[in-house]
Amino acid sequence: MKHWLLSVAALALPLVASAQARGPAPKAAPSEGMVSAADPRAAAAGVEILRAGGSATDAAIATMLALNVVEPQSSGIGGGSYWVRHEAQGGATTTIDAREAAPMAATPNWFYGPDGRPLSHADAVPGGRSVGVPGALRGMAMAHAQGGKLPWARLFQPAIRLARDGFQLTPRLQTALTRYGGHVDAATRARLTGLDGQVLPLGSTIRNPEQAALLERIARLGPDSFYVGPQAQKLVTTVNGATRNPSKMAMGDLASYSAKPRPPLCATYRGYRICSMGPSSGGGSTMLSILKLLERFDMGKLGKDSPQAWHLFAEASRLAYADRDAYLGDPDYVRVPLKGLFDPAYIASRSALISPDSTMATVTPGTPPGAPARVRAPVSEVPGTTDLVTVDAAGNVAEVTTTIEGSFGSGLSVDGTMLNNELTDFDIVPVKDGDLVANRVEGGKRPRSSMSPTIVYGPDGQVHLAIGAAGGSTIIAQVAKAIIGVIDWKMSAQDAIAQGLLFAPYKVATVEQGTSLVDLVPGLQALGETVVVAPLGLKANAIERVGGHWVGAADPRSEGVAIDVSGRTTAIRRVGDKPGRPAE
């Protein structure tokens, strides 16, 4: 099952992938450190670790653990993550796949009902069967072994304090529970609602002593304590005993789970080297495909206010998402034709389908060299997840996207910690038009993801930008849009993140409600685009290097901030025309 590893070993620029992609010898790094995260309390936890002498990896772990407490609807140790890291000493780029995995008992018909028919996505989410074996802690442990400086237990202290002493209920968490929390279990609802059953008012203090105790045990005993023994048994009992969609998870599924170092996926774009996460995520390759398809067009000259520029972005998105839906999956289970997808002749042939003056009538997957027979099978991904970036004094960078999938995941919790519904990122129907779907359910397999943690290296070989996003399948477009904003439109990372989004994975293009892009709708329609205006649940974080200093960015749609080691918070411009739907 080494198809992908073999293929990437043979790749040459413009696509570069290896176990450790290396740039030129590093220059002197900026002296300050910084954290950008979707919640100020989590960012502060990471900064606390940086001040204590921790590395970017240490700070990322502390930030993730704090997000687990204050943003339980989006991420946590009951879910999974992807890491992309830059090592200042030597310039290597490394990645870690800590994506959740299906239990070994899972079959291609895992989400079929007793009547032999496939469940709808909405019906498959609640309960035990959607829960994948959590990978986040194993990913943290691998990252800590590779790049940590402080003791493992020290990294847990900010999160333990938040869970034990309490934190204030914010608008995002309140909104998530009100709108999307109908499936959460009784223990979770009891923590977040009053005696009348209504969601607690803003500013209420939320305490989670069960979670504090769990984190204390893991801090003291190490990550294995979550995957074996009584804690593992508690998780297995919870998912297998769920009243809705009970699972068939075994203790061995947890004990045998491991995070995996994967080759980073790197490509050039206008002289910049962009490194992201490869499969099992489908995010990095799709994001890079969008950029490569657009490289022949002068996006800079067109500018950010051009309907034609956004039309080109929409067309490149459709082509890239079509190939993603057809070919991307867990490389340990299916042959992913990465080399073919980035073959220069293939990119040129796909880009030639894009016209500046008209919209494609239909979009189908291409046939890249080495591609197996596949049928396009899009999946339902909801706007959950969270992203964070950390930089330390030595210039090490950690970019992490982490998730439990939908808001509050499966709705099940163990010791105050939500469990993911990540297995609904698989295609529920395993065969279409007589061909096996690449992203079908299989025992031990990791579902395809849109998560796209990314590090951008400038023409000088130095880290220029680290960026990632949350928001389901919009993640890919968010990251691609922001990179175009920074490179082509010379925007700051903050402005590039705040810029509205045109999201067009399929025929209809969604223009983000409440943004300046709405003014471009008539021009887009004149180019043949079918357009709707609607809110999008977006949330991104970034840190960029400007003049030898780190400058943070966080999405104005979220509660996110960037904080440096001196305690200064980057002024996140809360745009007056922000969209109506908050990021989850």
Side-chain angles (χ1 to χ4, degrees):
M1 307 305 295
K2 301 294 185 183
H3 304 296
W4 180 58
L5 295 178
L6 290 173
S7 69
V8 297
L11 300 184
L13 288 174
L15 183 73
V16 180
S18 63
Q20 291 190 332
R22 294 184 181 274
K27 299 177 182 178
S31 59
E32 69 269 30
M34 181 175 286
V35 178
S36 177
D39 187 284
R41 295 158 297 190
V47 168
E48 175 184 323
I49 295 303
L50 289 176
R51 288 174 178 164
S55 66
T57 294
D58 291 330
I61 293 169
T63 304
M64 291 171 71
L65 292 167
L67 285 166
N68 190 165
V69 179
V70 301
E71 204 182 42
Q73 76 275 23
S74 295
S75 68
I77 63 173
S81 61
Y82 291 112
W83 292 68
V84 178
R85 295 183 302 147
H86 166 75
E87 298 175 6
Q89 186 63 41
T93 307
T94 60
T95 70
I96 295 172
D97 177 346
R99 179 71 158 161
E100 303 88 336
M104 291 306 297
T107 65
N109 292 343
W110 186 246
F111 288 115
Y112 278 54
D115 60 358
R117 299 175 62 83
L119 299 175
S120 68
H121 183 269
D123 288 337
V125 167
R129 193 156 290 206
S130 66
V131 179
V133 177
L137 267 176
R138 286 287 190 217
M140 293 179 199
M142 177 173 284
H144 187 252
Q146 294 174 351
K149 290 176 63 179
L150 296 182
W152 171 260
R154 174 67 180 89
L155 311 181
F156 283 70
Q157 299 314 304
I160 291 170
R161 289 197 308 270
L162 285 166
R164 181 191 62 222
D165 301 339
F167 61 93
Q168 289 189 332
L169 181 67
T170 63
R172 186 170 69 247
L173 177 53
Q174 185 191 60
T175 298
L177 187 65
T178 301
R179 293 184 181 179
Y180 314 114
H183 67 306
V184 300
D185 58 17
T188 300
R189 183 161 292 279
R191 279 194 304 276
L192 300 174
T193 59
L195 295 177
D196 59 358
Q198 299 301 306
V199 179
L200 290 170
L202 293 177
S204 299
T205 298
I206 308 297
R207 294 184 176 85
N208 195 337
E210 294 84 6
Q211 187 177 56
L214 171 63
L215 294 175
E216 286 172 342
R217 287 194 298 273
I218 298 170
R220 184 177 68 256
L221 301 175
D224 284 350
S225 63
F226 186 80
Y227 290 90
V228 297
Q231 194 66 53
Q233 184 62 67
K234 188 178 293 188
L235 192 156
V236 169
T237 299
T238 297
V239 299
N240 290 353
T243 55
R244 190 168 181 181
N245 297 329
S247 185
K248 298 178 182 179
M249 190 177 290
M251 291 284 285
D253 293 319
L254 286 161
S256 63
Y257 179 88
S258 62
K260 298 184 178 184
R262 300 281 195 187
L265 189 60
C266 301
T268 59
Y269 181 70
R270 307 198 197 281
Y272 290 76
R273 187 168 64 96
I274 303 172
C275 294
S276 192
M277 191 72 218
S280 58
S281 178
S285 62
T286 309
M287 178 271 296
L288 290 171
S289 291
I290 292 172
L291 297 179
K292 296 302 293 183
L293 291 167
L294 289 173
E295 197 166 22
R296 73 182 180 93
F297 299 99
D298 193 343
M299 296 292 285
K301 183 177 180 180
L302 289 171
K304 65 181 179 62
D305 299 317
S306 162
Q308 190 175 74
W310 288 101
H311 159 68
L312 294 173
F313 183 82
E315 294 284 77
S317 297
R318 293 181 180 110
L319 292 168
Y321 275 86
D323 282 350
R324 166 191 180 264
D325 292 347
Y327 299 116
L328 271 294
D330 185 337
D332 295 332
Y333 285 75
V334 297
R335 180 157 54 91
V336 181
L338 274 185
K339 184 179 179 182
L341 287 169
F342 288 92
D343 179 83
Y346 179 72
I347 289 288
S349 68
R350 294 288 275 173
S351 182
L353 299 174
I354 302 173
S355 167
D357 304 316
S358 61
T359 300
M360 291 178 285
T362 59
V363 177
T364 58
T367 307
R374 293 281 185 260
V375 173
R376 188 175 189 183
V379 296
S380 299
E381 294 176 82
V382 296
T385 310
T386 199
D387 186 83
L388 58 110
V389 193
T390 61
V391 180
D392 63 25
N396 298 299
V397 180
E399 219 302 332
V400 187
T401 310
T402 182
T403 187
I404 56 170
E405 178 36 9
S407 286
F408 300 100
S410 64
L412 301 177
S413 67
V414 172
D415 289 331
T417 298
M418 302 307 302
L419 299 179
N420 70 86
N421 68 292
E422 216 61 68
L423 299 191
T424 54
D425 270 358
F426 281 120
D427 292 290
I428 289 176
V429 178
V431 178
K432 294 192 177 181
D433 298 336
D435 288 317
L436 288 171
V437 173
N439 190 43
R440 65 190 180 276
V441 183
E442 296 179 82
K445 190 177 183 180
R446 302 179 186 208
R448 184 179 62 207
S449 170
S450 292
M451 291 187 280
S452 310
T454 299
I455 295 177
V456 178
Y457 294 86
D460 61 356
Q462 304 304 302
V463 173
H464 183 71
L465 175 71
I467 186 168
S473 56
T474 69
I475 291 172
I476 295 163
Q478 288 185 71
V479 174
K481 176 263 294 186
I483 291 173
I484 291 168
V486 170
I487 294 177
D488 290 310
W489 298 332
K490 309 306 178 187
M491 302 171 77
S492 68
Q494 179 58 46
D495 288 342
I497 286 173
Q499 170 85 353
L501 179 68
L502 185 150
F503 181 52
Y506 308 121
K507 177 62 177 177
V508 177
T510 301
V511 170
E512 186 181 4
Q513 177 181 308
T515 69
S516 61
L517 294 191
V518 175
D519 296 335
L520 306 183
V521 169
L524 290 165
Q525 291 172 329
L527 293 168
E529 293 283 352
T530 302
V531 180
V532 298
V533 176
L536 294 169
L538 310 182
K539 183 172 67 177
N541 292 85
I543 293 177
E544 64 178 330
R545 193 172 189 267
V546 180
H549 296 279
W550 299 115
V551 179
D555 205 313
R557 305 163 182 84
S558 76
E559 296 168 357
V561 297
I563 307 175
D564 68 22
V565 291
S566 71
R568 293 174 299 183
T569 300
T570 299
I572 306 303
R573 180 168 54 86
R574 305 293 169 185
V575 293
D577 62 346
K578 70 179 182 179
R581 178 178 178 178
E584 303 312 331

